[in-house]
Amino acid sequence: MLAALVACASTSEPLASQVDPLASWNDGPAKQAIVEFVRVTTDSANPAFVPAEERIAVFDQDGTLWVEQPMYAQVMYVLSRVPDVVAAKPALAKQEPFKTVLSGDREKIAKLGMPDLEKLLAATLTGMSVEEFQAQVQAWLDSARDPRWKRPYTDLTYQPMQELLEYLRAHGFQTWIVTGGGQDFVRVYAERVYGVPPEQVVGSAAAVTYGYDKSGKPELTKDAKLILNDDKAGKVEGIHLMIGRRPVAAFGNSTGDRQMLEYTKAGGAARLAMLVLHDDKEREYAYGPAQGLPATKVGTRRRSRAGS
Amino acid sequence: MLAALVACASTSEPLASQVDPLASWNDGPAKQAIVEFVRVTTDSANPAFVPAEERIAVFDQDGTLWVEQPMYAQVMYVLSRVPDVVAAKPALAKQEPFKTVLSGDREKIAKLGMPDLEKLLAATLTGMSVEEFQAQVQAWLDSARDPRWKRPYTDLTYQPMQELLEYLRAHGFQTWIVTGGGQDFVRVYAERVYGVPPEQVVGSAAAVTYGYDKSGKPELTKDAKLILNDDKAGKVEGIHLMIGRRPVAAFGNSTGDRQMLEYTKAGGAARLAMLVLHDDKEREYAYGPAQGLPATKVGTRRRSRAGS
């Protein structure tokens, strides 16, 4: 199913050359596969030619476009919101899981189960207007720093993948993000960080409800009801809902991306499906297949470890 | 809330002039409002300037881009599928509402209630793969003819609105369809008929389920579970889900479009919100406000008449 495993790990090295659009990629089969794929699909004389309007490339985000270790950035965001949520509703301070989060005890926080996590998601991601939510995320992005790298989370993107996004767009491809993360969360920064506009971000999505604020102005409020669980098979279902075409190229890094890559590959003619291999513990993190472990998602692995 | 009521009714007149991109529009406040809106929002020196990536225009379809009388084209499609559905499951021939539809009795068919209609929708729009559905719709579009005009349904679009779509795109606007009709249905022809690609069609959407066909090939099957009821407030909710930005221009023709127009107008600076007025019974149909009646949707009006 997979065309290649891609080794790429540096976070933000400058381009070695302005001439090569994939300058930070090692010369090897992965880079060659990309260049060859773009060559045949954009040459109208080639049997594998793909018309511009069908050039859809889809990218997982966590672990594919940016660092997902040791914890998803969105989980860090959710935890960071807890003090404000408790300040607004002080009674929560004595209730779980808020009490554990406020304790700052990382081991205990890491052991919180799904029902607790869902309470945290509901308390921090729902109940506010869409604009309030966007402002809260933006404020966090502006101030939060990754504990290891001491830099904004949005700096921790993979330079080779940034080059790939640019390279594909320069050849008429639409580059979509298809993430298990929150659609509304990723949309806040995707355009600035990846050059991907909000309408090309597909993610796990909860409902919003249309209504009017106190002054009678229309507003959308974020609800807890999940519309799209954009992981595994849900990624393909989300692609159909939001794009309505089968992609011709797909990029992921874990079992959560398997169906999306399968579906892309099954489309016929030239198709490209690639996985990021995390094998560089110095410049990023080494985990998954590079360590002889399954390429499961962070959350799944963390939970199964907690359970063992 | 509304900038103007637009009188436009011709179905397919040739352009009177190649110079004026809105040649089939009457000179008047509606046309002036469009031209002025585009002028100020695309002039970077103007306070109402809108950056290209935020130029989102949304269009209702039925009654706004094409004829919705005397019945939605998609309802005609659903009825047309019944003989094939019954041929595959002959026992249905003796069950309602299939029996009534097969009788061809138009009065009885028009009186079918919501539960019956839902049975018809489920039987004709769900259970098959996405590709099978697309092929069925395409076959119908190729062969079906509107009873009054004796032409394919996709010919029955409004020339002034086609010009408006082109005019906005020529000025860097994205033109999205936001329809109460089926998203998968409209996507089959929207690119050819309106120049609107599938990923810019937002419509009422049922879930799809990812799986594998008998040969092990990945496929998506259409389900009956409604994800998005894209009408009234649901249109705004669908815009948030699928676009993630507030539109700057919105076009509709009925109460089903009210919230979408409200939400667009509440965005600040220069915004354009327009309704198509149906006042020409010779070249189209005269109904709604032009006849002193409410601008309700076809289905609603039909049901309330049937109930009176």
Side-chain angles (χ1 to χ4, degrees), chain A residues 72 75 78 96-97 108-123 125 180 204 226 229 231-232 298-304 306-307:
Chain A
Y72 293 134
V75 174
V78 164
E96 291 297 354
K108 276 192 183 168
I109 293 171
K111 283 181 185 166
L112 290 173
M114 239 4 229
D116 280 332
L117 199 54
E118 279 170 10
K119 278 182 199 166
L120 292 174
L121 296 175
L125 305 178
S204 293
L226 195 67
N229 184 4
D231 195 27
K232 301 189 171 71
V298 173
T300 315
R301 191 173 53 257
R302 187 166 59 79
R303 275 199 297 283
S304 67

Side-chain angles (χ1 to χ4, degrees), chain B residues 82-105:
Chain B
V82 168
D84 279 358
V85 166
V86 172
K89 288 188 187 176
L92 293 178
K94 296 182 180 177
Q95 294 174 24
E96 291 298 353
F98 304 96
K99 195 177 161 186
T100 292
V101 174
L102 290 174
S103 77
D105 184 330

Side-chain angles (χ1 to χ4, degrees), chain A residues 91-133:
Chain A
L92 293 177
K94 296 182 178 174
Q95 294 175 26
E96 291 297 354
F98 303 96
K99 195 176 161 185
T100 292
V101 174
L102 290 174
S103 76
D105 184 330
R106 289 190 183 201
E107 278 202 29
K108 276 192 183 168
I109 293 171
K111 283 181 185 166
L112 290 173
M114 239 4 229
D116 280 332
L117 199 54
E118 279 170 10
K119 278 182 199 166
L120 292 174
L121 296 175
T124 58
L125 305 178
T126 72
M128 71 290 284
S129 77
V130 162
E131 280 82 4
E132 283 170 326
F133 174 75

